[in-house]
Amino acid sequence: AQKITQTQPGMFVQEKEAVTLDCTYDTSDQSYGLFWYKQPSSGEMIFLIYQGSYDEQNATEGRYSLNFQKARKSANLVISASQLGDSAMYFCAMRLYSGTYKYIFGTGTRLKVLA
Amino acid sequence: AAGVIQSPRHLIKEKRETATLKCYPIPRHDTVYWYQQGPGQDPQFLISFYEKMQSDKGSIPDRFSAQQFSDYHSELNMSSLELGDSALYFCASSPTSTASSYGYTFGSGTRLTVV
């Protein structure tokens, strides 16, 4: 079965600290992409970071980094130096290809950054 | 930079009414995807179009239909609305490039409330 699992419904982090949001995935495909999206209370989905299944190095985008452990099928998002504006829902997603691209989303983790 | 435009942003309809949601993809993006996100849930794939033809179908009810027009904009038509159709409806677009590492570009969503 193809599935994304986010086991943390909610997380708190102190401002300026780092936080790790967990994501595990399940697929038998060899080629896939892993994404993290941020959804603030306003509702829009904002792309954060991407990791390809063949990428050997962990992806980084500014304060975001993706801890990719292929053997464990995990793709955790690390946010360094948390800011109040990071408070949002975070979705891990897997992109698969079977003629067209399709995304499977996890159930999300709600992050609250405390001042 | 131009983004994915969805209209309307908010829509309130009564049960059994119909609704039409519109999506204007980023220029030169020829693939459009529709997602439904219920309250507190992860986005669920509904349907996608490539070059004006349906390319994939997810959990879209028979009461819903969609199409992509010659200018690549897409419309999601929803009939016989039910209370359970209340959700945030996202449109996303992408080019067909298989090398894209930036995932979908989502619109800001249309929040449909059925009363």
Side-chain angles (χ1 to χ4, degrees), chain A residues 68-87:
Chain A
F68 182 45
Q69 298 188 43
K70 195 170 182 177
R72 293 186 176 183
K73 293 191 173 179
S74 73
N76 299 339
L77 176 70
V78 180
I79 305 175
S80 62
S82 297
Q83 301 171 357
L84 295 178
D86 293 335
S87 294

Side-chain angles (χ1 to χ4, degrees), chain A residues 57-69:
Chain A
Q57 289 196 323
N58 288 341
T60 60
E61 290 284 350
R63 294 186 299 110
Y64 304 109
S65 61
L66 199 151
N67 184 1
F68 182 45
Q69 298 188 43

Side-chain angles (χ1 to χ4, degrees), chain B residues 77-100:
Chain B
N77 299 294
M78 310 159 70
S79 62
S80 302
L81 288 169
E82 302 173 356
L83 295 178
D85 297 329
S86 296
L88 188 58
Y89 290 83
F90 283 108
C91 171
S93 74
S94 71
T96 51
S97 167
T98 57
S100 172

Side-chain angles (χ1 to χ4, degrees), chain B residues 41-57:
Chain B
Q41 297 180 4
D42 54 296
Q44 297 292 318
F45 172 71
L46 291 178
I47 196 167
S48 63
F49 291 88
Y50 165 65
E51 283 291 342
K52 292 152 279 184
M53 294 184 65
Q54 181 182 307
S55 53
D56 201 357
K57 193 172 181 180

Side-chain angles (χ1 to χ4, degrees), chain A residues 35 37 39 41-47 49-51 61 89 91 95 97-108 110, chain B residues 9 33 35 37 40-43 45 48 50 55-57 88 90 96-108 111:
Chain A
F35 296 80
Y37 285 89
Q39 186 177 40
S41 56
S42 51
E44 71 268 31
M45 295 286 273
I46 303 168
F47 164 76
I49 196 167
Y50 162 83
Q51 180 84 40
E61 290 284 350
M89 194 74 165
F91 288 98
R95 183 182 68 187
Y97 183 77
S98 58
T100 58
Y101 286 114
K102 185 185 294 184
Y103 279 57
I104 300 171
F105 286 85
T107 50
R110 184 168 298 282
Chain B
R9 288 296 306 274
Y33 310 81
Y35 281 80
Q37 185 180 22
Q41 297 180 4
D42 54 296
F45 172 71
S48 63
Y50 165 65
S55 53
D56 201 357
K57 193 172 181 180
L88 188 58
F90 283 108
T96 51
S97 167
T98 57
S100 172
S101 63
Y102 288 94
Y104 293 159
T105 301
F106 282 90
S108 297
R111 189 171 296 282

Side-chain angles (χ1 to χ4, degrees), chain B residues 19-47:
Chain B
T20 298
L21 310 185
K22 296 184 179 182
C23 169
Y24 297 87
I26 290 175
R28 291 182 294 281
H29 281 196
D30 48 18
T31 307
V32 168
Y33 310 81
W34 285 97
Y35 281 80
Q36 177 192 57
Q37 185 180 22
Q41 297 180 4
D42 54 296
Q44 297 292 318
F45 172 71
L46 291 178
I47 196 167

